[in-house]
Amino acid sequence: MTNTTETSTTPRGELALQTLTMPKDTNANGDIFGGWLVSQMDLAAGIMTKRVVQGRSATVAIKDVVFLLPVSVGAIVSCYTDIVKIGNTSLQIAVEVWINNTRNSKGRQKAAEGLFVFVALDEQGKPQPIPH
Ligand SMILES: CC(C)(COP(=O)(O)OP(=O)(O)OC[C@H]1O[C@@H](n2cnc3c(N)ncnc32)[C@H](O)[C@@H]1OP(=O)(O)O)[C@@H](O)C(=O)NCCC(=O)NCCS
């Protein structure tokens, strides 16, 4: 787990996923569709969950997603994850999306954040304890 007192210019947690935005992922304004961004965040949290659970898991809740900046086509999208809590069968992962927009020279900026809750599942798809 990461020290949350770090400055807002520093991503929280570790890099779990990095990708490039494409024209097919735009909304009616020509910016990147929020649902696409949430999908990347879910994948990033899923990758982190896989490392902990080492088996089947599923997203049970997505909380407090906030879109802070528009994301343009051609931006590098980096999803950082930080485990907030490991419960009995669930774990909560804070996800931050940072972008490098090619259209401006502002460097790395936080574009979105949210809390993703995953549940470890057995072969029958029922919750099972996470090994600590
Ligand atoms: C995940 C699933 C198996 C959980 O079943 P369930 O009967 O609700 O399980 P439980 O009530 O025992 O909860 C399991 C854990 O999830 C947590 N949880 C359940 N709903 C939650 C919510 N809305 N927010 C936060 N945590 C939640 C519980 O607190 C519990 O955590 P703990 O064991 O660490 O204390 C079931 O809801 C499911 O299959 N959902 C679909 C998942 C899926 O397909 N996701 C992909 C996107 S569609």
Side-chain angles (χ1 to χ4, degrees):
M1 296 183 203
T2 306
N3 179 357
T4 53
T5 59
E6 288 176 27
T7 69
S8 60
T9 56
T10 309
R12 171 183 179 185
E14 65 180 90
L15 182 64
L17 180 150
Q18 197 166 48
T19 188
L20 192 64
T21 56
M22 302 298 267
K24 67 179 175 54
D25 303 317
T26 53
N27 60 23
N29 302 323
D31 294 316
I32 294 302
F33 178 48
W36 179 86
L37 215 51
V38 172
S39 169
Q40 303 309 306
M41 296 166 82
D42 195 22
L43 283 171
I47 289 168
M48 176 55 82
T49 299
K50 211 57 163 182
R51 288 184 194 156
V52 175
V53 170
Q54 295 186 352
R56 187 171 166 184
S57 63
T59 315
V60 71
I62 298 177
K63 301 182 176 184
D64 300 329
V65 172
V66 183
F67 300 105
L68 303 163
L69 292 174
V71 180
S72 53
V73 173
I76 299 169
V77 169
S78 304
C79 296
Y80 291 82
T81 56
D82 187 30
I83 296 173
V84 173
K85 182 184 169 190
I86 300 180
N88 180 32
T89 66
S90 70
L91 72 166
Q92 299 180 12
I93 300 174
V95 181
E96 290 188 356
V97 178
W98 287 70
I99 53 167
N100 287 77
N101 261 326
T102 50
R103 287 191 195 158
N104 66 41
S105 55
K106 290 184 177 163
R108 188 170 61 176
Q109 294 175 291
K110 184 160 72 169
E113 61 188 10
L115 185 71
F116 288 69
V117 186
F118 276 72
V119 177
L121 302 175
D122 64 16
E123 291 303 316
Q124 282 70 47
K126 300 292 178 203
Q128 72 171 352
I130 296 170
H132 287 76

